[in-house]
Structures are given as C-alpha cells and as structure tokens.
Amino acid sequence: MDWIHTSHQNVKVLDCHRTLTFCCSLSLFSERAMQHLKHCQGLAQVFLIRSQSSRLSKSVIPSLSVWDGHFSCRWRSTGGHGRQKYFNDRLPKFRFALAGLLAGTGAVLAYKLHQDKVQLAATSAQLRVTQTSDLPVYTLEEVTKHRSLDSGVWVTYKGGVYDITEFVAIHPGGDKILLAAGGALEPYWALYAVHQQDHVLEILSEYKIGVLNPESYKKQESANPSDPYSAEPTRHPALQINSLKPFNAEPPASILSDNYITPSVIFFKRNHLPVPRVDPEAYRLEIEGLSGGVVSLSLSELKSRFPKHTITATLQCAGNRRSEMNKVKQVKGLNWGIAAISNATWSGARLRDVLLYYGFGPEVAAKAKHVQFEGLDKDVTGTAYGASIPLNKAVSEEGDVLLAYEMNGEDLPPDHGYPVRVVVPGVVGARNVKWLGKIVVSDEESKSHWQQNDYKGFSPGTDWDTVDFKSAPAIQELPIQSAITHPAEGTSVDRSDREVTVKGYAWSGGGREVVRVDVSVDGGKTWHVAKLRTSDQGQHPAPPPPPGRAWAWKLWEIDVPIPHRAQELEIVCKAVDSGYNMQPDTVAPIWNLRGVLSNAWHRVKVLYVGLTQNG
Amino acid sequence: MDWIHTSHQNVKVLDCHRTLTFCCSLSLFSERAMQHLKHCQGLAQVFLIRSQSSRLSKSVIPSLSVWDGHFSCRWRSTGGHGRQKYFNDRLPKFRFALAGLLAGTGAVLAYKLHQDKVQLAATSAQLRVTQTSDLPVYTLEEVTKHRSLDSGVWVTYKGGVYDITEFVAIHPGGDKILLAAGGALEPYWALYAVHQQDHVLEILSEYKIGVLNPESYKKQESANPSDPYSAEPTRHPALQINSLKPFNAEPPASILSDNYITPSVIFFKRNHLPVPRVDPEAYRLEIEGLSGGVVSLSLSELKSRFPKHTITATLQCAGNRRSEMNKVKQVKGLNWGIAAISNATWSGARLRDVLLYYGFGPEVAAKAKHVQFEGLDKDVTGTAYGASIPLNKAVSEEGDVLLAYEMNGEDLPPDHGYPVRVVVPGVVGARNVKWLGKIVVSDEESKSHWQQNDYKGFSPGTDWDTVDFKSAPAIQELPIQSAITHPAEGTSVDRSDREVTVKGYAWSGGGREVVRVDVSVDGGKTWHVAKLRTSDQGQHPAPPPPPGRAWAWKLWEIDVPIPHRAQELEIVCKAVDSGYNMQPDTVAPIWNLRGVLSNAWHRVKVLYVGLTQNG
C-alpha cells in the first residue's frame, strides 16, 4: 500500500471508504471508529449526494452502483501499483458513493435489509469473492499462524484468504475484528448482518491474498457455529421490518392506534443483538453495589419476595420518526416510521423494593448516583447490552421502575425480555433493558456504547466532524410527541365528506401527562382540539394519574370540517403536556446526526377528490 | 331600559360594551363575568380591529376615541327612547371599539397605565361626570338606603349619584360591586387602578340619576380611606413599569443577563394587589389540614425550629414574553417583554420539614392532594391572593419548596413577600405566593381565581367564546425558555466586526437543566452552540445540580461569524433541556387568549452597517 502515503487527502478518502463500508453496524461504533468518522466527515461535507428513488422511502438513498461497476473489479485484478492513478481518475464518482455512505448508512442499511430480508443475495460481488483465481493456495494451519498485528492478521471468507492487517486500525468495530484473526469471518458477520452487503464484500476483496485448499475449507465449514439469529422467535407478519438481524420492526401505523393497550405481538421490537434464550429455572439476577455484597436472585424469588405491581406504560424508541429527519438530511440509524412506540401493561417487582430489601440505604445513597443494567444479550466479544438511569428515578416511590416479568398479563415474550426486563416509565426505550442479567448501583453511568456514544441529542449544526459525545447528556426522559395514524399520507378523502376523521397518539416522557392535542387540516393555520382517549373501546377510561406519573400515552380522534375549496389537506398534529411543553414546528431545526428525538409536528398530506357539486 | 329587549343582538352588544369597559381588571374576572365575556366574543369575532401606533408597542392598540366622542354623551342626555336608533346608526364605530376592548384589554390597560402612571387625568369625560346638571339632588342618607338589588343599588362618585342596579349582573368583577352599594366608589376604584380610565367613567355616566348635596359630598370626601397603594415601597428607577397599581415591572433586557444572580432591586416585580406591610413581630403563619389541628407559627419560630436551606432558583411569570403574542393577535394581560424572569438565592425552612413537624404523615397523605397558599395581600372584599401546588411537589425531598425569609442573603424585600414567601422552584411564579399568611393541606386545588380561571394554557383555536377554564390544568411547571438580551432589536452591528456577540438566558421548569442553547444569525437556517454560564463573573461555576433539581437558569454567550453579504441579521435562539424538550419555532401556533407560556424561538433583528470594503 505504498501509494497510500502520497496524498494525505487520498489516504483519508480511502480510509473513509473502507471504514464506512463496514460501519453500517447498527450501533456498534467503537470510540476509535467515531474518531475516524469525524475525520472523514470533514471531507464528506463538500460532496454531493446522488439520490435514487426506492419503493421504501422518498428520502435520499445513496447509490452504490458506481462502486460496484468499476472500483472493486479494478482493484481485484491489479496490484498496489497503478491504484492511485485509477483512484484519481475515478475520484468524482468515488466521492459520490462515499458521501452516500457517510450520510446515509442507516438508510442504506434499512433499505438493503428490507429489500433482501432473509435471503442472502447471490450477487455478482459475492461471486467475485468466491471465484477461483490464480492466487496462492493456503492451508488452515498457515492461516492460523496470522492472528496478530506482528505476524499479520489473516482471515478467511468462503474459502478466500485475506490479509487485513492494515484494515484493523480503521475497522469501525475496533479491535473486535481481531477475534476473527487466523480464522473465518462468517460466524462474526452472522452476528452483525450489516456486513452482508455487496459493498462490504467489495472492501474485503481488496485484501485477498489467496484461497484455502479444498480440505481446509471443508473442515472450516463444518466447524462454523450456527447463525446466532437462528433461534429468534417467530414474529407477527404484520410487522414492518427495519432490520432482521438484530430484529427491529414496527406495526403498521394504521393499526397502531386501534388498541389503547398494544397487543404484545405487534408492540414495536427494538433489539440490539440476538434474542437470548433464557432458562427460567437457571435464571439469576445479580445485584452489585449494595452494602451486603453481590446478590443473586432467582426468578421465583423475585416473584415471591416482592409485591407485584402493575403499571401501564408507553415505551418509545429514541429513533421513532427518524425517517422524517432522513428526509431533511440523512442520519445514521434505522429508518423508523411513526410506530416505534407502543403501550402495554407491565407487572413485576418494584426496583425500589428490591434495592431496599438488599441493603440500599443512606450509606449507599451518599455515594451512588446511577443504577446500571446489563442484558443477557451479548455481542461476539461477550459484551452485554447495557444502560443506566439516575439513582433518584430508580429508588423514588414515584419513579415506578419495575423489574417486570409480565407484559399485558402474560409472561414477557422473548422479544420483550423474557424472563425479566426493566421498565423505566417515562424514559427512552433504550434504558428499559431486556433479558436483565445484572443491576449495578454505582457512582457512574453505564460505560456501554449505548449510554456513552449513542442515544444523545445534538445541535443541527453538529456533524460527525465536530461531535463530542461527552458534551451531551444521555437521553433519559423523552420530549412531548404525537403523530397521525389516520388518514395515511397520500390517501384520498371524498368530497362528499364534509369532515375528515383524524386519529393518532400522543405521549410525553417524565410522567408528564398529555393535556391537549391540536389538529389542523390547513397546514397549521387554524387548529382544533382533539378528543383524548385513555382506554380501549368499551373499557372504562383510566383514572387520572397522579401528577408526574402519567406513563401511558393518550389516543386521540377528531372530525375536522374540511375548508372550502381545499384540493389537498395538510393534516398536522401537535400535543401539549402537563408541563406545557409543545412540539417544535419543523424538523430541520431539531435535526441531529443520530436522528433521535424526532418530535416536530407530524404532517400528513391527503387529496380531497370527487365532484364538488355533490359535496 | 325597555329598548334593551327589542333586539337580542343589541342587548348582547350593549352588555358587552359595559362589561368590557370594566373588565380591564388585571386578573379579577369572576366566573360570571367570564361567562358573559364568552357570549360577547361571539359577536366580536367578526369585527375589525382598528390599530393606532403607540410609543410603547408596535402591536395593535384598539382605539377608544370613537366612543369618547359620541356614545356616552348621547346616552347621558337622552332617555331610554331613541337609544336603539342611535345605537344602530353608530354600530360600525361601536363595533370598532368593542372589538378593541375584547381583544386588547390587557394591552389597553398596560398602555394606559404606562402612559398615565401616577397622574389621574382630568379628562373631559371626568368633567362631564362631575359637572352640575338639572338632575335631582340627594342626601347621603337617601343613597345609603339603596344597597340591594331589591331596593336598587346606588353608588356615588365625585358627588354624582348613580343607579347601577342593572349593571350589577354584568359587572366583570361580579358581586364585589355590591360592597360599594349605598356609598362611594372611590375607595374601591383606588384599589383597582384599571377603573381610572375615561371609558369607564363614560359607562358610569350612563347610570347617573342625580347629585349629592354639597354637605353630603363634603362629609363623604373626608371619610374616604387613603389610597391602598400609598404605602408601596420605593422601586429602582431602572425598572420598566407595566402597571403601577398593582405594581408590575421588569428590568431592562440589556441589564438582565449582566448578573447570574439578579440583584433584588431589579428582580422583576409581579404583584396582583397592594403590597401588605407586615409587622414581623405580629406575623403568624397558619397551617391547616394536618392531623394536629390549626397551627399558628411566628416568624422567629419558623426561623429557629427548622434548618435553614438555601437554593438558587429562577422565577418566571407565566406572561413573560407576552408582548410577542400580542403582535400575533391581542391577548389579555400585562404586556411583558422578555424580562419577567429573574434568578436569586432563597433561604428559609423547607415546606416539607414544616409539614412533617406539624403532623403530615400517611394519614394526611392518603386524602390530601394539594397544598394551598394564601397571601396577606387582599382585595377590597378581603379575598387573599391564593394558589396551590400538587402535594408531591410540596412534600418530596427533591421538591425543594421553601418557606423563604431571605432573598440574596437579606430579609425578603417588601415587593418579594416580606417576611415570608413560598418559593416553589421549577414552577410558574404565580404559585410562589408572597406575604404568606396561610397554608392549607387539602384534597382540592386552591379555589382562587388565579388557580381556577387564570394561568392556564389553551389552543390557539380557543377564544373567549369557546374557552372552558375547567378543561385545562393550572400551569405548574413551565416549559423550556430562552431569550436574547444582547444585541437589542433594531440596533446595528458594524461591518468591521466579523462576528457578532450574542447573549441571553435559558431556563426550564420542573428542575430540568438547560443542556444546550442553539443560536442562529440567519433566521434559523444554520445554528451554533452557545457557551453556558452558571455563575457570576469571577465566581466558581455552580456544581451540576442533581437530576431533576436544576432550579436556576443558565446565562449564555457566543460570538457568531457574520455571513457574507448580510444586510440584516435575524438572530434567533432556542434552548434544550435535560428532557430534550425544545422550544417551538413560531409564536402563532402557541398563541393563547391569556398570552401565557410564550416560549417560541426568540428573534432579534439587527442591521449590519458600514463600509463593506473595510470589513
């Protein structure tokens, strides 16, 4: 890679190319990769983004075809010399693709995963990787010797042998890549389906140095562990899938507001890792940081020792409505619609009761500031999903934090944390840790990636070049939110109807009750107050919650008179909570690079069609 | 008043005319008057508002001159017959004035009070009221006999005798007017300076039936009590006065952010009634609703029995920045600028400690839901200023509610509640009751006007015709707020400066910490993150508050590069709190009839002048 030093800019661009191709990982940026991205973004700012329409979204989707057609082929068939010339020749096109990757990894991913779903496409790129060539033939033993930076880092993929020594430093997932050193990539890529895209294979192909002999390949194949996602639960077919591995899906907006209590099967799913299968008999919950030492608690002890409490609480993903931010400017993350939010009843022990029982008191309180949670869902390095909440939320009588073992009156479903999850009402979904394995009372926040370098909000003026994750607090309480579930964008209203029925949901974090929803059908010029609902049809309305403990959403509905001479209706909703917080008017001024906290007024355009005379 | 039944619409209009002339009372609407106003608003919606410029505000100021010139004169000199004809002739002009009154009582009031300040104008209208005529002459004894609806309600004003029997039902202040029955209006009008406007006298003149004999008038004059506002404290000359009686004033925005701790003398003043002068030796604080019966507590007991706690807390009036709402459409209320907000240190006993000491426990908690406060400031009927807060805020360890007796290290100043006030950090100013006389632990909110029929937020689509005060919660926690204190609107920035320094404040209710302030100089297209400050110059920054207990504002500052070719800068700020609540973009969609909760992005336009070449 002698040429790599001839031009600083080219080095950066190339690094970015490689880095970003790999960095589609849903939430697995290492801090190192973040730093790397920051450098890259400086270049990307000046690039153009080419868009192409997709059947999934009207947002900007970067094109990868430029890349596929030329770049990798050339690289595969040539040595180090000549690469720079080629690179310079193709720079404009290259930049195209790079900018797309930089700005749109989340969308690319969502798009690709949705398009391909289960099937791993037998693409031309893949064929190129696996095709025979006149490269040297290696045995598995030879490959195994190269498992450190000193001896070189070799990996195999579908019978090919790759020297990725130089790539290790720029791998977005950081040193984790070394776990595969001297062996097969397949088991690791299986864990992070994001790698299974053509352009990732293209990058890999740059490092090809040979092939395994057939015997070694066969041996390796049989030794490969099974897909970590092979034991995923069966899901409801209505779910709209944003990513299959890990599984992330939302119900269709049209059915979301049909139920005040969302049926568990269509409750939005937001997994960061494979669903762990937990034996309830063997299950133990560990608790650290209390005065009596480490506690180990069985499921039956949790159920029998502590009173069972039930709350109705809405959970919302920080990325709900991210797709609207993507329309302003591409962000990183799953392309959620408006339904990464659902409402359920949760039953379990109060975290407060459990902590007090095992020795939480003034002595602990004097030092501790946070309660950390670890899931039993782990990545390939054995790192568990983790998050933390402020101590006062965890131990307050009014915090209502549960170690829940039931959802909607039944055992938690596997996708929702069986056998035990944390429910932190009023707080972003990401802190409601599922498959709870450990609780740590601590003076520090969780050190996890998801607490430190993800799920934070930034100014629209902050990009990957300037972001400092330490400068923003981890999202806990979420701001006021509302969205229109009916009618759907682009549908029609008949002129014979003098009114249009509009429905939706509204919710706010921190236990702040939704006190009003305003609806407009003229884009926000005039407003009408919707009727709020706090129960399912035929059920008694929920009693008003105590102040600061309104954990559940409100559904709303209104028949709005249609203005004379309307051709198109721009339906808008905005909600107000008990702290009189309002939603911002527009998306652009709250845009942020992670696409979280998307809570501007929700807007839906519908046509007003038919004969005016009959109206 | 036989004519009054000939046309339903005219009845309404006439009622409105009278009602609204009197209803400029700052916050003294009775529920009955509200009902009345609702009827009137139905008419007013279709009326035009005529504006005239004023030196105080560029907002719409209704004209009252039409009225002064004709209406009352005619009515005074004619009997019941002919009134309808006159009325119909003048309806368009009448409507003008009526709409102005309906939409703009607050602004009219603020305008008038500011313009006239102390002096009571010897206007032509006043002369007409007091001038001699050929009307019957009455003795004070004869007037005294008419003090009920049965016997008729007569009052006197500057020697004139008025039969206001028919007006009682439509008096915006409700039955309180009967307190003056059979006697002089002067002592009551002195309490509510709002009455001292020409058009109020005009209305009164309609009811003139005679004059007092000179002896009675002299006797009455000498018996009149002194002005209840004569003992008001001396105020700092820098204060910008929004109303003199009661006293309402804010510091100039330009000096507001000079101090992190606002000096008490320029801390915004928001009084609803005359400042009571309280003898600290005689002072007693009563507490009701606890298990041990009524408690009576002296000032020295309060100071000695309970630990002294100090917090730094920002108070904000619900009407802060109301003037921006007035520019969209006139609202009712004082025309506050951006400085009805200030920050101070407060010391006193914790309300929680006091309640626990006197018997608050599970038994009380099982029934009680609110803690009510009554001030020692009383209106002419003896009704004290009152408000309440939710019980959990009052008794929570983390609520930090104080019975404060010190402000900025000294005894409370008279304007801020000497000797004791409630400080409810994170909660709207109106609940921070001053000159605290009584605490009631109750299952009900305060029944006071200010809790029930004021200080609530409504949809922009809600007007006085449709408002139902019961439908909205009393404002407690306030939403995220920020404003620009420098530069001032309309000032200039020199082209030789490549940057403009922008300063301001940011605060949020409910103990939510301000975590970021975004500033734009191009009207919101691009944003920069300001530097936050939590102490005065030379002082150490305040330590970070515990979560949910950030009671104090943050001051902020930033030097923003000026865009090329800018002629005018539209400087905008918006803040974000720890719940990631954002400010709404624009004022119109959060406009509400009381003009409260005005927290849209603050915008300031400045000119960019000088020679480009030198820049």
Side-chain angles (χ1 to χ4, degrees):
Chain A
M1 306 275 274
D2 50 342
W3 60 270
I4 216 165
H5 300 288
T6 55
S7 155
H8 181 64
Q9 181 172 339
N10 285 351
V11 172
K12 279 195 137 184
V13 170
L14 186 63
D15 283 3
C16 289
H17 158 194
R18 291 170 173 173
T19 304
L20 286 157
T21 307
F22 279 80
C23 79
C24 301
S25 164
L26 288 180
S27 301
L28 290 160
F29 280 89
S30 68
E31 202 160 331
R32 194 165 170 190
M34 282 298 174
Q35 292 301 325
H36 193 74
L37 258 184
K38 285 192 210 174
H39 291 297
C40 299
Q41 185 65 7
L43 293 172
Q45 282 173 317
V46 299
F47 297 165
L48 289 169
I49 295 176
R50 194 175 91 171
S51 67
Q52 66 183 38
S53 64
S54 101
R55 59 188 166 85
L56 276 184
S57 154
K58 287 178 184 168
S59 63
V60 178
I61 301 288
S63 162
L64 296 170
S65 58
V66 179
W67 194 292
D68 293 346
H70 307 275
F71 197 61
S72 60
C73 294
R74 177 77 184 201
W75 278 23
R76 200 176 58 252
S77 58
T78 64
H81 66 276
R83 277 186 187 171
Q84 189 180 8
K85 183 182 178 305
Y86 175 85
F87 186 83
N88 288 341
D89 290 349
R90 297 297 188 278
L91 199 57
K93 284 186 176 179
F94 182 91
R95 282 180 166 169
F96 248 49
L98 175 59
L101 279 166
L102 277 164
T105 50
V108 173
L109 174 62
Y111 171 73
K112 293 298 289 182
L113 285 171
H114 199 105
Q115 190 179 43
D116 304 341
K117 287 202 178 160
V118 193
Q119 137 212 24
L120 294 180
T123 61
S124 58
Q126 212 161 6
L127 289 173
R128 282 197 299 276
V129 170
T130 53
Q131 75 193 5
T132 56
S133 70
D134 51 359
L135 290 170
V137 177
Y138 295 102
T139 64
L140 203 52
E141 287 66 38
E142 285 172 299
V143 172
T144 312
K145 289 174 191 160
H146 298 85
R147 50 199 312 170
S148 72
L149 291 172
D150 287 342
S151 60
V153 179
W154 290 15
V155 293
T156 67
Y157 183 75
K158 291 192 189 292
V161 178
Y162 302 83
D163 178 354
I164 59 164
T165 314
E166 289 179 344
F167 180 73
V168 171
I170 56 173
H171 178 236
D175 289 348
K176 287 179 187 174
I177 200 171
L178 289 176
L179 289 167
L185 282 176
E186 283 91 336
Y188 302 96
W189 283 17
L191 198 65
Y192 305 115
V194 64
H195 290 96
Q196 287 159 6
Q197 298 188 67
D198 290 359
H199 52 285
V200 179
L201 294 176
E202 297 289 355
I203 299 301
L204 178 65
S205 69
E206 298 168 28
Y207 298 101
K208 193 164 190 178
I209 54 167
V211 294
L212 280 180
N213 68 17
E215 208 169 81
S216 289
Y217 185 34
K218 201 174 168 187
K219 186 177 164 193
Q220 197 190 46
E221 283 267 270
S222 61
N224 273 351
S226 63
D227 178 1
Y229 288 97
S230 62
E232 295 278 289
T234 308
R235 276 92 180 205
H236 195 282
L239 290 169
Q240 294 177 338
I241 298 169
N242 283 322
S243 119
L244 196 68
K245 299 178 180 183
F247 191 74
N248 287 284
E250 62 190 300
S254 58
I255 67 169
L256 179 63
S257 61
D258 286 348
N259 300 284
Y260 182 74
I261 301 294
T262 315
S264 303
V265 290
I266 60 160
F267 196 106
F268 82 98
K269 321 287 177 203
R270 202 295 176 234
N271 298 341
H272 294 84
L273 293 162
V275 173
R277 289 293 182 158
V278 184
D279 173 3
E281 295 302 319
Y283 174 80
R284 292 294 180 277
L285 172 61
E286 287 197 358
I287 308 176
E288 295 179 9
L290 297 176
S291 43
V294 177
V295 174
S296 179
L297 187 63
S298 73
L299 183 59
S300 62
E301 285 167 337
L302 181 71
K303 288 183 177 180
S304 61
R305 248 177 224 172
F306 305 99
K308 177 172 163 183
H309 283 274
T310 298
I311 59 170
T312 302
T314 298
L315 297 187
Q316 184 183 210
C317 177
N320 190 30
R321 300 181 58 198
R322 179 180 283 131
S323 52
E324 292 161 64
M325 284 200 176
N326 266 328
K327 286 175 192 170
V328 172
K329 197 168 72 171
Q330 290 252 328
V331 297
K332 185 175 99 66
L334 295 166
N335 199 39
W336 293 107
I338 65 165
I341 183 170
S342 303
N343 188 49
T345 63
W346 308 94
S347 304
R350 274 190 183 151
L351 175 59
R352 166 189 163 84
D353 293 346
V354 174
L355 294 180
L356 287 173
Y357 184 91
Y358 290 110
F360 178 83
E363 218 171 285
V364 179
K367 289 179 193 169
K369 288 183 178 171
H370 305 273
V371 177
Q372 305 176 2
F373 306 114
E374 274 187 28
L376 294 168
D377 48 336
K378 291 179 180 169
D379 71 13
V380 72
T381 71
T383 306
Y385 182 80
S388 62
I389 60 172
L391 179 70
N392 65 337
K393 173 70 178 173
V395 299
S396 160
E397 276 190 84
E398 301 182 336
D400 287 333
V401 180
L402 295 187
L403 303 180
Y405 42 79
E406 286 181 14
M407 177 184 189
N408 293 339
E410 297 179 338
D411 283 351
L412 290 180
D415 264 327
H416 295 286
Y418 182 83
V420 178
R421 75 173 301 174
V422 194
V423 172
V424 192
V427 163
V428 63
R431 314 302 170 211
N432 292 251
V433 174
K434 300 191 278 192
W435 315 288
L436 183 67
K438 195 192 275 189
I439 299 172
V440 183
V441 180
S442 172
D443 60 341
E444 290 186 322
E445 276 192 301
S446 166
K447 294 281 188 198
S448 88
H449 164 79
W450 299 276
Q451 190 82 15
Q452 299 294 332
N453 296 319
D454 199 350
Y455 295 125
K456 295 186 170 191
F458 294 96
S459 170
T462 300
D463 56 30
W464 290 106
D465 199 34
T466 55
V467 67
D468 171 12
F469 270 88
K470 293 202 190 339
S471 70
I475 299 170
Q476 296 285 347
E477 296 181 1
L478 285 173
I480 179 75
Q481 175 69 286
S482 70
I484 298 158
T485 55
H486 175 87
E489 174 82 21
T491 53
S492 301
V493 173
D494 197 280
R495 277 200 188 279
S496 62
D497 299 329
R498 297 281 173 83
E499 294 184 325
V500 57
T501 300
V502 186
K503 299 182 191 181
Y505 65 77
W507 180 76
S508 189
R512 290 180 286 278
E513 186 176 2
V514 170
V515 299
R516 201 181 77 230
V517 175
D518 295 332
V519 177
S520 171
V521 297
D522 58 9
K525 289 187 201 77
T526 60
W527 297 92
H528 309 262
V529 178
K531 200 175 156 189
L532 306 178
R533 185 152 70 84
T534 59
S535 66
D536 274 315
Q537 304 291 2
Q539 304 282 310
H540 288 291
R549 293 165 81 179
W551 311 126
W553 68 8
K554 294 193 181 176
L555 300 180
W556 53 265
E557 183 169 342
I558 185 172
D559 297 326
V560 187
I562 295 172
H564 283 297
R565 293 192 210 79
Q567 296 297 324
E568 186 188 62
L569 305 179
E570 187 181 1
I571 308 178
V572 187
C573 73
K574 65 183 173 82
V576 182
D577 70 21
S578 57
Y580 281 102
N581 295 291
M582 324 272 180
Q583 295 178 244
D585 310 18
T586 56
V587 182
I590 60 165
W591 182 97
N592 59 85
L593 43 75
R594 277 293 281 110
V596 289
L597 305 158
S598 182
N599 75 328
W601 301 354
H602 188 222
R603 296 163 193 267
V604 164
K605 284 188 182 169
V606 299
L607 293 171
Y608 191 46
V609 297
L611 295 173
T612 333
Q613 280 75 357
N614 298 341
Chain B
M1 305 276 274
D2 50 344
W3 60 270
I4 216 164
H5 301 288
T6 56
S7 154
H8 180 65
Q9 180 173 340
N10 286 350
V11 173
K12 279 192 134 185
V13 171
L14 185 64
D15 284 2
C16 288
H17 158 196
R18 291 171 174 173
T19 304
L20 286 157
T21 308
F22 280 79
C23 80
C24 303
S25 162
L26 287 179
S27 300
L28 291 160
F29 281 87
S30 68
E31 202 162 329
R32 195 167 171 188
M34 282 297 174
Q35 290 302 323
H36 194 74
L37 258 182
K38 286 192 209 172
H39 291 297
C40 299
Q41 184 66 7
L43 292 172
Q45 284 175 313
V46 299
F47 296 166
L48 290 168
I49 294 175
R50 193 176 90 170
S51 69
Q52 66 182 37
S53 63
S54 100
R55 58 188 167 86
L56 277 184
S57 155
K58 287 178 185 169
S59 62
V60 178
I61 302 287
S63 163
L64 297 169
S65 58
V66 180
W67 194 293
D68 292 346
H70 307 276
F71 198 61
S72 61
C73 295
R74 177 78 183 202
W75 279 21
R76 200 175 60 254
S77 59
T78 64
H81 64 277
R83 278 184 184 171
Q84 188 181 5
K85 183 183 177 305
Y86 174 85
F87 184 78
N88 288 341
D89 291 350
R90 298 296 189 278
L91 199 56
K93 284 186 175 178
F94 182 91
R95 282 179 165 168
F96 249 48
L98 175 58
L101 280 166
L102 277 164
T105 51
V108 173
L109 175 62
Y111 172 73
K112 293 296 289 181
L113 285 170
H114 200 104
Q115 189 180 43
D116 302 342
K117 287 201 177 163
V118 193
Q119 138 215 22
L120 295 178
T123 61
S124 57
Q126 211 162 7
L127 288 173
R128 282 197 299 278
V129 170
T130 52
Q131 76 194 5
T132 56
S133 68
D134 52 0
L135 290 171
V137 177
Y138 296 103
T139 64
L140 204 51
E141 287 66 38
E142 284 170 302
V143 172
T144 312
K145 287 173 189 161
H146 299 85
R147 49 200 312 169
S148 72
L149 292 169
D150 287 341
S151 60
V153 179
W154 290 15
V155 293
T156 68
Y157 183 76
K158 291 194 189 289
V161 177
Y162 302 82
D163 179 354
I164 60 164
T165 314
E166 289 179 343
F167 180 74
V168 171
I170 56 174
H171 178 234
D175 290 348
K176 288 179 188 174
I177 200 171
L178 289 176
L179 290 167
L185 282 176
E186 283 89 337
Y188 302 95
W189 284 17
L191 198 64
Y192 305 116
V194 63
H195 291 96
Q196 286 158 8
Q197 299 187 66
D198 289 358
H199 52 284
V200 179
L201 294 177
E202 297 289 355
I203 300 301
L204 179 65
S205 69
E206 297 168 27
Y207 298 101
K208 193 165 189 178
I209 55 166
V211 294
L212 278 182
N213 69 15
E215 207 167 80
S216 288
Y217 185 34
K218 200 175 168 186
K219 186 176 162 190
Q220 197 190 46
E221 283 269 88
S222 62
N224 274 349
S226 63
D227 178 2
Y229 287 98
S230 61
E232 295 278 288
T234 308
R235 276 91 181 207
H236 195 282
L239 289 169
Q240 294 178 339
I241 298 169
N242 282 323
S243 121
L244 195 68
K245 298 178 181 184
F247 191 75
N248 287 284
E250 62 190 298
S254 59
I255 66 170
L256 179 64
S257 60
D258 286 348
N259 300 284
Y260 182 73
I261 301 293
T262 315
S264 303
V265 290
I266 60 159
F267 195 106
F268 83 98
K269 321 287 178 202
R270 203 293 178 236
N271 299 341
H272 294 84
L273 294 161
V275 174
R277 290 294 182 156
V278 184
D279 174 2
E281 295 301 320
Y283 174 81
R284 292 293 179 279
L285 172 60
E286 289 198 355
I287 308 176
E288 294 179 9
L290 297 176
S291 43
V294 177
V295 175
S296 179
L297 187 63
S298 73
L299 184 59
S300 62
E301 285 167 336
L302 181 71
K303 288 183 176 179
S304 61
R305 249 177 222 172
F306 305 98
K308 178 173 163 181
H309 284 273
T310 298
I311 59 170
T312 303
T314 298
L315 296 188
Q316 182 182 213
C317 177
N320 189 31
R321 300 181 58 199
R322 179 179 283 130
S323 53
E324 291 161 64
M325 284 200 175
N326 266 329
K327 286 174 192 171
V328 172
K329 196 167 72 170
Q330 290 252 328
V331 298
K332 186 175 97 68
L334 295 166
N335 200 39
W336 293 107
I338 65 165
I341 183 170
S342 303
N343 188 49
T345 63
W346 309 93
S347 304
R350 275 192 182 150
L351 174 59
R352 166 189 162 84
D353 294 346
V354 174
L355 294 180
L356 286 172
Y357 184 92
Y358 290 111
F360 178 84
E363 219 171 286
V364 179
K367 289 178 194 170
K369 288 184 176 170
H370 304 273
V371 176
Q372 304 176 2
F373 306 113
E374 275 187 28
L376 295 168
D377 48 336
K378 291 180 180 168
D379 72 11
V380 71
T381 71
T383 305
Y385 181 80
S388 62
I389 60 172
L391 179 71
N392 64 337
K393 173 70 179 173
V395 299
S396 159
E397 276 191 86
E398 300 181 336
D400 287 333
V401 180
L402 295 187
L403 304 181
Y405 42 78
E406 286 181 14
M407 177 184 188
N408 293 339
E410 297 181 338
D411 283 351
L412 291 179
D415 264 327
H416 295 286
Y418 181 83
V420 178
R421 76 172 300 173
V422 193
V423 172
V424 192
V427 163
V428 63
R431 314 300 172 214
N432 292 251
V433 174
K434 301 192 277 192
W435 314 287
L436 183 67
K438 194 192 275 189
I439 299 172
V440 183
V441 180
S442 172
D443 60 341
E444 290 186 322
E445 276 192 300
S446 167
K447 293 282 189 197
S448 88
H449 164 80
W450 298 275
Q451 190 81 16
Q452 299 294 331
N453 297 318
D454 199 351
Y455 296 125
K456 295 186 170 192
F458 294 96
S459 170
T462 300
D463 56 29
W464 289 106
D465 198 34
T466 55
V467 66
D468 171 11
F469 270 87
K470 293 202 192 338
S471 71
I475 299 171
Q476 296 284 348
E477 296 180 1
L478 285 173
I480 180 75
Q481 175 69 287
S482 70
I484 298 158
T485 54
H486 177 88
E489 173 81 22
T491 54
S492 301
V493 173
D494 198 281
R495 277 200 187 278
S496 61
D497 300 329
R498 298 279 172 87
E499 294 184 325
V500 56
T501 299
V502 187
K503 298 182 191 181
Y505 65 77
W507 179 77
S508 189
R512 291 180 286 279
E513 186 177 2
V514 170
V515 299
R516 199 181 79 231
V517 174
D518 294 333
V519 177
S520 170
V521 298
D522 57 10
K525 288 187 202 78
T526 60
W527 297 91
H528 309 262
V529 179
K531 200 175 158 189
L532 306 178
R533 185 151 71 83
T534 59
S535 65
D536 274 315
Q537 304 289 4
Q539 304 281 310
H540 288 292
R549 294 164 83 179
W551 311 126
W553 68 9
K554 293 192 181 176
L555 300 180
W556 53 265
E557 184 168 341
I558 185 172
D559 298 325
V560 186
I562 296 172
H564 283 298
R565 292 193 210 80
Q567 296 297 325
E568 186 189 61
L569 305 180
E570 187 181 359
I571 307 178
V572 187
C573 73
K574 64 183 174 83
V576 182
D577 70 21
S578 57
Y580 281 101
N581 294 291
M582 324 274 179
Q583 296 178 243
D585 310 18
T586 56
V587 182
I590 59 165
W591 182 96
N592 60 85
L593 43 73
R594 278 293 281 111
V596 290
L597 306 157
S598 183
N599 75 327
W601 301 354
H602 188 221
R603 296 164 192 266
V604 164
K605 285 188 180 168
V606 300
L607 294 170
Y608 191 46
V609 297
L611 294 173
T612 334
Q613 279 75 357
N614 297 342

